[in-house]
Amino acid sequence: AFACADDDLLRYRQAGGHWDYRREPSAGGPVAAALASLRSFHERRWWMPISGLVETVIRERRLFELAFAHRRPRERWQRLRFALDQARAFAEAGGRTLRQFIEWAERQAIEGTRVIETVVPEPDDDAVRIMTIHAAKGLEFPIVVLAGLNIAASHKPSRVLWGEDGAIEASLGDDSASFVTNGYEQLKQREKEMDQAEKVRLIYVAATRARDHLIVSLHHKRDQECHASAIHQLCMEARELWRPAEAAQIAAPAQHAPSTAFDDSAERRDRWQRERSQRIAALSRVPAIAATEVAQRAAHAEDDPNLQKERPPADAPPWKRGRAGTAFGRAVHAVLQTIDLDRGGDVERAARAQAAAEGIPARAGEIARAALAAIGTPCLREAVAGRYWRELYVAAPIETVTLEGFIDLLYETPDGLVVVDYKTDVVPDPARLDEMLQHYRLQGAAYALALQEALGRPVARCVFVFTQASGAQEKELPELAGAIAEVREVLRQPPAGELGAAQLGDGERPALRPLDELDDDRVGQIRLL
């Protein structure tokens, strides 16, 4: 708006210029002119309404003209007019100062407030708009087409109606055996007439949106009661007020004799079979897969509790469905996501809040001790010494699927990124940590693969922190590159149990099972599809 580039600002400052627009500028150039303009607005703010000041800024800084520098200037114009309309509405509601208006606008943005009113489009925008009659109120267009008038008129009155004196009339039960008060039928007929009158008024609003030409579709069935039939009857009585639209002649498509030649060679059939198999294999793949599901797909370990706990229970309440796992594990993760990782401040209060949210208030002390134990591990001490991110969502297209997941902690080192994943499994014997690490190695590798594909940066390490109230231990994933290659191979394979081209031989058909023989989860998936 003021056309001041970075070099202009630098030269102004080097010349001894100051940034207080209320004082006379000590240097010249475009920056001094901009500050003088701001000082002029500042001096006029007491003598102009808020909307007048906003309009003055838009006009004097040529913001409408500057919109032509953008690809779609009309969108800029709409936003400018919207800001001006909001300033007028704010002033009409009792707003007094510009500072109040800015603070109010900022609150609307922070709270994500939605605007109900439709922004009026540019009248010269070369586009067709399809809208309801209510949305068209207050607007005009060169050409308006009214369609859908052949819908049969219907009116379903309420079971309870109020008379002019406030008396209640009601109809209870079905048509065959119903209880109707004395004045209900009379009120029902009045409601029907009022509804018909309102619909006529709506048609009038729709018809008067046309500035130059109004086109009305009167197609309807014979003897059908609808707006189209009523308007058609009126048109027959006043033929001088309308004329039929002339339908353009559409040339019939040229008739081509079908070719009698058909390539039924073995080479063509083999090519068609290959293409069909490739399409079936591609479409049978899951379009998105979570990192926690990679290990399940690789091991087919449906009965492994370490992998099963990664799945949220089907009957979990809404606030528990965002993260799978046990209630204790979710609470520990949530505490580590919010507290100060450097000093562990407010860990007790956060643990009590999360324990209450998970329905295990008696374990708040265990949750706090587990979180503090995790904070003391070497990898978290290294993380807080530099840049780190918590509860980071990552997704990247791998092969033919999208690999996604939430990383508990990610931090930078000179060698590359480090992925940290918290685990709250009970480890009865520390010697079994290596065995438990095998359950999660592909999950950690999946996080690393998604990061490398999304960011183009190397992942140096993947560390699992096993934490409980009794203490925490960390284990680094060995041979990360090999695990990443294994994840890629898993993602290339179709999911177990899904119908792929490789699973059906010539002449084979998948066995069909009735719904009552399937588990509830599978039935729910089928119904959803």
Side-chain angles (χ1 to χ4, degrees):
F2 293 97
C4 295
D6 293 344
D7 54 344
D8 296 325
L9 299 173
L10 178 61
R11 281 193 294 268
Y12 175 80
R13 191 70 183 91
Q14 290 175 340
H18 53 78
W19 304 114
D20 188 350
Y21 60 75
R22 295 171 298 178
R23 297 161 50 190
E24 288 292 335
S26 55
V31 178
L35 292 174
S37 179
L38 287 174
R39 184 171 66 256
S40 173
F41 295 141
H42 178 78
E43 293 171 350
R44 285 181 281 177
R45 74 192 190 283
W46 297 116
W47 315 107
M48 301 179 66
I50 298 173
S51 58
L53 184 59
V54 174
E55 184 177 10
T56 300
V57 173
I58 293 174
R59 183 180 65 254
E60 292 189 4
R61 301 319 304 171
R62 302 289 191 268
L63 297 186
F64 277 104
E65 292 85 345
L66 287 174
F68 283 106
H70 300 275
R71 184 177 179 182
R72 293 188 58 83
R74 287 184 174 87
E75 294 181 357
R76 298 274 172 169
W77 296 340
Q78 288 182 8
R79 295 184 186 123
L80 290 171
R81 285 202 305 270
F82 174 74
L84 183 56
D85 290 342
Q86 292 300 299
R88 290 170 179 159
F90 182 79
E92 291 175 359
R96 291 290 180 266
T97 67
L98 184 62
R99 182 181 298 275
Q100 292 174 346
F101 174 63
I102 295 300
E103 291 175 350
W104 172 81
E106 288 178 345
R107 283 199 304 272
Q108 305 303 304
I110 292 174
E111 297 173 0
T113 304
R114 299 285 182 176
V115 178
I116 299 175
E117 293 82 2
T118 303
V119 178
V120 180
E122 290 296 322
D124 62 336
D125 198 0
D126 188 13
V128 176
R129 295 177 181 84
I130 301 176
M131 60 180 65
T132 63
I133 298 177
H134 292 283
K137 287 183 177 180
L139 305 179
E140 285 188 348
F141 302 93
I143 303 174
V144 170
V145 179
L146 290 186
L149 300 180
N150 59 336
I151 299 176
S154 62
H155 175 67
K156 187 176 182 180
S158 172
R159 293 281 188 177
V160 180
L161 300 176
W162 279 264
E164 295 180 357
D165 56 354
I168 298 177
E169 305 292 343
S171 173
L172 305 177
D174 53 23
D175 295 336
S176 59
S178 61
F179 168 78
V180 181
T181 58
N182 294 333
Y184 179 80
E185 290 296 334
Q186 181 180 358
L187 286 181
K188 175 182 175 181
Q189 182 61 30
R190 191 188 70 173
E191 288 289 325
K192 180 178 179 180
E193 294 174 356
M194 293 176 63
D195 180 69
Q196 292 174 347
E198 176 62 22
K199 291 179 178 178
V200 170
R201 284 192 290 270
L202 282 177
I203 295 297
Y204 171 79
V205 169
T208 52
R209 299 309 92 197
R211 188 165 56 240
D212 300 325
H213 300 281
L214 174 64
I215 303 172
V216 184
S217 172
L218 297 182
H219 172 76
H220 61 280
K221 295 180 181 179
R222 189 184 302 274
D223 299 329
Q224 180 185 5
E225 292 186 6
C226 58
H227 290 303
S229 62
I231 296 176
H232 180 265
Q233 181 63 33
L234 294 174
C235 289
M236 293 297 100
E237 299 173 0
R239 295 180 178 271
E240 69 280 2
L241 299 180
W242 63 280
R243 60 185 176 87
E246 298 178 0
Q249 287 295 114
I250 302 177
Q255 299 292 330
H256 298 284
S259 174
T260 57
F262 178 70
D263 183 5
D264 195 26
S265 62
E267 180 182 358
R268 180 186 177 278
R269 289 179 60 85
D270 290 342
R271 184 173 66 253
W272 183 86
Q273 289 283 5
R274 287 195 303 272
E275 292 177 355
R276 176 179 180 274
S277 299
Q278 292 172 357
R279 288 173 180 263
I280 292 177
L283 294 175
S284 65
R285 307 287 294 274
V286 179
I289 180 174
T292 53
E293 297 179 20
V294 175
Q296 299 167 13
R297 179 181 294 188
H300 308 308
E302 295 298 327
D303 298 326
D304 192 330
N306 290 303
L307 298 179
Q308 282 286 348
K309 81 176 188 63
E310 296 297 328
R311 303 174 183 176
D315 58 348
W319 64 87
K320 294 184 179 180
R321 295 175 186 168
R323 174 186 292 280
T326 63
F328 178 81
R330 285 192 299 267
V332 173
H333 277 80
V335 171
L336 290 171
Q337 180 184 343
T338 56
I339 64 173
D340 182 0
L341 293 182
D342 190 12
R343 300 179 179 86
D346 291 337
V347 65
E348 299 290 344
R349 184 174 63 179
R352 289 194 299 269
Q354 296 301 329
E358 295 293 341
I360 50 174
R363 303 188 67 182
E366 296 180 57
I367 295 169
R369 291 193 295 273
L372 288 174
I375 292 176
T377 56
C379 64
L380 266 74
R381 292 295 90 205
E382 184 182 29
V384 297
R387 293 207 304 169
Y388 65 89
W389 300 266
R390 291 184 283 187
E391 197 67 14
L392 180 70
Y393 175 77
V394 62
I398 312 292
E399 302 300 331
T400 59
V401 301
T402 297
L403 180 61
E404 62 180 358
F406 283 89
I407 299 175
D408 293 335
L409 178 65
L410 179 72
Y411 66 93
E412 286 181 325
T413 66
D415 299 328
L417 300 172
V418 178
V419 175
V420 179
D421 195 74
Y422 308 130
K423 296 299 180 186
T424 55
D425 304 60
V426 177
V427 185
D429 184 3
R432 292 192 56 197
L433 273 181
D434 291 334
E435 177 185 342
M436 300 190 67
L437 189 62
Q438 292 300 314
H439 290 295
Y440 299 117
R441 59 185 297 271
L442 292 188
Q443 177 186 346
Y447 291 141
L449 175 59
L451 278 171
Q452 291 181 163
E453 292 290 330
L455 301 179
R457 299 179 59 183
V459 176
R461 292 185 295 146
C462 180
V463 181
F464 290 91
V465 175
F466 294 87
T467 183
Q468 283 285 326
S470 57
Q473 302 180 65
E474 67 175 52
K475 293 289 289 185
E476 181 177 342
L477 182 64
E479 299 181 1
L480 180 58
I484 290 176
E486 189 174 341
V487 171
R488 282 190 179 275
E489 185 61 30
V490 171
L491 296 179
R492 291 191 184 100
Q493 304 301 325
E498 295 196 9
L499 297 179
Q503 295 174 276
L504 296 179
D506 293 338
E508 294 184 6
R509 295 293 182 268
L512 300 180
R513 296 166 59 193
L515 287 179
D516 56 7
E517 294 183 9
L518 300 178
D519 59 85
D520 292 339
D521 289 343
R522 182 63 66 182
V523 171
Q525 295 173 17
I526 293 172
R527 287 173 176 160
L528 178 62
L529 293 175

